[in-house]
Amino acid sequence: MASTVSISHLGTLMGGVHTVDQVGAEERAASLAKRSIKKSAKLWALDLAIRCIDLTTLEGQDTPGKVAALCAKALRPDPSDPSIPPVAAVCIYPALVPVAAARLRGTGVHVASVATAFPSGQTFTSIKVAETREAVAAGADEVDMVIDRGAFLSGNYQKVFDEIGQVKEASGRAHLKVILETGELGTYDNVRRASVLAMAAGADFIKTSTGKIQPAATLPVALVMMEAIRDFHRETGRVVGFKPAGGIRTAKQAIAYLVVLFETLGPGWLTPERFRLGASTLLNDILMQIQRERTGAYQSGDYFTID
Amino acid sequence: MPERVDVRKTYKLFINGEFVRSESGRSYRPDGGINVPRGSRKDLRDAVRAARTAFAGWSGRTAMNRGQILYRTAEMLDGRREQFIAELGGTEPARQEVDAAIETWVWYAGWTDKLSQVAGTVNPVAGPYFNFTIPEPSGVVGIVAPEAPPLLGLVRRLAPALCAGNTVLVVVSEPHPLPGLTLGEVLATSDFPAGTVNVVSGIRRELLPWLASHMDVNAVDVTGCTPEETRQVEELAAANVKRVVHGTSNGMTPDAITAVMEMKTVWHPIGV
């Protein structure tokens, strides 16, 4: 496991955060999103997208039954088609981790639990740490934590840094994804700064959003975060993954993220070990696109399972 | 006073409540002078998506409200009567055709809140149950408009489908698309929720296979199709058991409404 960087090194890293060129980032993201991926390349991209999905349900009305259904879908997204691969992980609230863990044990599909008072992150550090520990003990092998935006926006970077460090320690061998909630950070500069902070504090993945705030993931924000990952990798040699989440509903959007990922971080990141898509409705749209590509007929949501 | 500049109209597709250019960026000239958008399969896909999204809202409206909106379509069409007469050639038959079209909207407007009483039944069953059969809208209906008469043929197929509570996408006549496209402007001001009616123009053979094979379309009205096209639609429609409706543009009948509806039977125990 990679160690966190020292405080002095963090200072250098944070000091080295340059102002993000907003117009440039948006223009580049928009031009990459226009790239046309068709036919066999599209099928390849859709297959990769499925393998990278964190199939998510984060609702107050989630039941063990719903999580069980989601797990079934995660293992076999299209019951009529065994050539469709399983997704990367199932992402759920901590209380439902035992249900998912029991269903997914030994299948290769990971159990990701949100933690640290998701989605607001506004509670005591001790509780966040305890929540993480319980989630991991219950069987989660990935933890999606939120940063304390209140502390970050008031300039208390130290608190955010320490908290991520403690949660990282509490999550032990579980993979830690740190949610920046970019919709609440206000500027691209803050996004970049929060990315560096999270990576320096030990994040295995940085993730855009909880999905509870609008705007959630956008392409320019993703580009800024990926560039932060790229520069951090050059600086420290540590590999950090990226997970956009929230608002990614169509296969077209998913492919746009893959294009930006490829152009920014290179082919090394086109794997579920380094890239995830947090989504729920996206999976059905991808399945429909695959069917459309294979059969030549536009598809209907009526013929795919509701999740 | 100087003569004002000639304002030439750009005809557009009507999809999801908006007038849009074709995704293809192409057009064709059916009568040599006017550019008509040449809708592509992606325009068709967008129209089906819009219709599917609008379906719950439109079919969920009260029958009374649907009737009001159909009646308003008659009002709007009446307000543009002269324009349509001119577009259809300005002759006496054109005048009669427009008047018949207006009348058709009024006639089907009256049917919205009467249909389930007339077409529905209470069935006698051997058991302590009520047994009802109730007509429900099929869903998304694709209509291939008859070539002639260009306006009335379309209205005679479109009005009953909307009356039933379906959402519709119309492929207008290929050689005479203008009345259909102008009707889109009437529909746009008639309080139909966005996506309830979509109007696509283009080359029939480029659009028809995509419409007929689309899994999210529940019925296709082939009144305007040639026998060859009808056969193709019927074959492709089999994939998701679409209703294929062979209609006529002569006269008005409640059968035209039930042709794009499904009869659903429900049981309810007596005394519960």
Side-chain angles (χ1 to χ4, degrees):
Chain A
M1 191 177 305
S3 60
T4 59
V5 300
S6 68
I7 286 290
S8 61
H9 193 181
L10 174 66
T12 327
L13 285 169
M14 292 291 277
V17 173
H18 299 294
T19 305
V20 176
D21 173 0
Q22 181 181 345
V23 175
E26 283 169 3
E27 176 55 36
R28 177 155 174 80
S31 72
L32 289 175
K34 282 197 207 95
R35 192 167 293 179
S36 181
I37 309 288
K38 299 286 181 201
K39 306 284 172 192
S40 60
K42 182 175 176 182
L43 283 174
W44 184 87
L46 293 176
D47 182 83
L48 174 64
I50 292 178
R51 287 190 288 116
C52 289
I53 285 180
D54 279 8
L55 198 58
T56 304
T57 182
L58 293 168
E59 304 291 338
Q61 61 195 2
D62 287 348
T63 57
K66 171 152 189 212
V67 171
L70 199 74
C71 291
K73 182 152 188 167
L75 291 168
R76 183 82 180 260
D78 186 345
S80 66
D81 187 351
S83 71
I84 305 285
V87 303
V90 165
C91 183
I92 45 176
Y93 273 121
L96 292 160
V97 164
V99 181
R103 303 233 161 208
L104 297 175
R105 193 167 295 126
T107 61
V109 176
H110 298 286
V111 179
S113 167
V114 296
T116 73
F118 180 94
S120 72
Q122 300 276 24
T123 190
F124 308 103
T125 305
S126 57
I127 290 176
K128 295 183 184 180
V129 170
E131 188 186 10
T132 307
R133 210 165 265 140
E134 285 224 29
V136 173
D141 51 6
E142 298 185 354
V143 173
D144 287 31
M145 73 168 287
V146 290
I147 64 165
D148 184 341
R149 279 90 71 195
F152 181 86
L153 291 171
S154 56
N156 195 352
Y157 298 155
Q158 185 70 53
K159 178 170 185 237
V160 180
F161 182 84
D162 291 346
E163 218 169 67
I164 297 172
Q166 288 179 47
V167 172
K168 170 76 185 163
E169 202 184 315
S171 46
R173 294 183 56 186
H175 248 56
L176 181 66
K177 299 179 213 142
V178 178
I179 304 172
L180 309 181
E181 193 60 304
T182 53
E184 289 186 339
L185 296 183
T187 65
Y188 291 133
D189 290 8
N190 274 347
V191 171
R192 170 109 192 184
R193 214 169 277 137
S195 303
V196 171
L197 191 66
M199 290 186 288
D204 297 307
F205 265 73
I206 51 175
K207 172 174 167 184
T208 58
S209 327
T210 59
K212 303 289 182 195
I213 297 286
Q214 287 301 322
T218 67
L219 265 191
V221 157
L223 178 66
V224 170
M225 290 172 69
M226 287 179 203
E227 284 175 349
I229 292 172
R230 179 191 63 196
D231 297 347
F232 189 79
H233 178 59
R234 279 186 194 149
E235 178 95 5
T236 67
R238 249 193 77 208
V239 168
V240 178
F242 176 64
K243 175 177 173 185
I248 306 169
R249 294 197 182 84
T250 65
K252 203 172 196 172
Q253 285 174 295
I255 289 175
Y257 278 98
L258 287 173
V259 169
V260 177
L261 182 75
F262 178 80
E263 291 296 336
T264 314
L265 289 165
W269 260 261
L270 293 176
T271 150
E273 278 80 51
R274 297 188 186 179
F275 179 72
R276 296 288 177 82
L277 283 157
S280 42
T281 48
L282 169 67
L283 183 53
N284 268 5
D285 194 62
I286 293 181
L287 296 176
M288 282 162 69
Q289 290 296 323
I290 291 174
Q291 281 295 338
R292 151 78 186 84
E293 212 58 50
R294 286 182 184 166
T295 63
Y298 285 118
Q299 298 297 307
S300 162
D302 290 353
Y303 300 92
F304 295 86
T305 54
I306 301 165
D307 45 15
Chain B
M1 196 179 140
E3 218 174 299
R4 71 167 177 80
V5 291
D6 182 26
V7 180
R8 294 198 65 189
K9 181 165 161 185
T10 308
Y11 283 90
K12 292 185 183 174
L13 311 176
F14 181 54
I15 295 173
N16 202 20
E18 291 174 9
F19 292 96
V20 293
R21 290 187 163 80
S22 167
E23 176 273 342
S24 69
R26 295 191 294 175
S27 58
Y28 74 108
R29 291 188 163 182
D31 60 359
I34 296 163
N35 284 328
V36 171
R38 183 165 163 178
S40 67
R41 65 178 171 86
K42 293 194 177 178
D43 293 310
L44 196 89
R45 172 200 67 186
D46 292 346
V48 173
R49 191 175 290 162
R52 173 57 61 197
T53 310
F55 178 67
W58 177 243
S59 60
R61 298 239 173 167
T62 60
M64 163 78 176
N65 187 222
R66 284 207 302 274
Q68 287 174 318
I69 292 173
L70 260 65
Y71 189 83
R72 185 169 165 80
T73 312
E75 293 172 6
M76 293 294 108
L77 188 55
D78 193 31
R80 288 184 181 239
R81 190 165 169 270
E82 298 308 321
Q83 182 190 356
F84 275 97
I85 290 171
E87 215 163 62
L88 293 168
T91 58
E92 183 52 30
R95 198 171 298 278
Q96 285 169 7
E97 186 185 338
V98 175
D99 286 343
I102 295 168
E103 203 174 57
T104 304
W105 285 110
V106 175
W107 200 81
Y108 283 106
W111 266 106
T112 55
D113 57 357
K114 299 170 187 69
L115 191 78
S116 67
Q117 297 92 303
V118 177
T121 57
V122 180
N123 311 311
V125 288
Y129 295 97
F130 290 120
N131 184 280
F132 308 102
T133 299
I134 297 163
E136 288 183 1
S138 288
V140 175
V141 178
I143 295 179
V144 181
E147 306 289 354
L151 175 67
L152 184 61
L154 170 54
V155 171
R156 284 269 162 89
R157 304 313 306 162
L158 177 58
L162 289 168
C163 170
N166 297 296
T167 51
V168 175
L169 82 102
V170 175
V171 179
V172 296
S173 159
E174 185 181 318
H176 308 291
L178 297 194
L181 290 174
T182 312
L183 187 69
E185 294 167 18
V186 168
L187 298 165
T189 51
S190 301
D191 293 343
F192 285 106
T196 305
V197 203
N198 304 275
V199 182
V200 178
S201 60
I203 309 297
R204 178 84 58 84
R205 74 186 136 71
E206 289 176 0
L207 297 171
L208 207 53
W210 295 101
L211 173 65
S213 67
H214 200 308
M215 298 292 279
D216 219 8
V217 173
N218 301 101
V220 181
D221 186 327
V222 292
T223 306
C225 289
T226 64
E228 183 53 33
E229 287 170 337
T230 302
R231 198 182 57 79
Q232 184 192 24
V233 170
E234 280 175 338
E235 277 177 16
L236 290 170
N240 66 333
V241 210
K242 280 182 200 68
R243 197 167 269 276
V244 179
V245 180
H246 307 262
T248 158
S249 57
N250 302 322
M252 297 174 283
T253 158
D255 295 340
I257 312 171
T258 50
V260 278
M261 299 189 90
E262 313 293 327
M263 293 296 169
K264 297 283 170 71
T265 297
V266 289
W267 296 70
H268 192 280
I270 292 172
V272 176

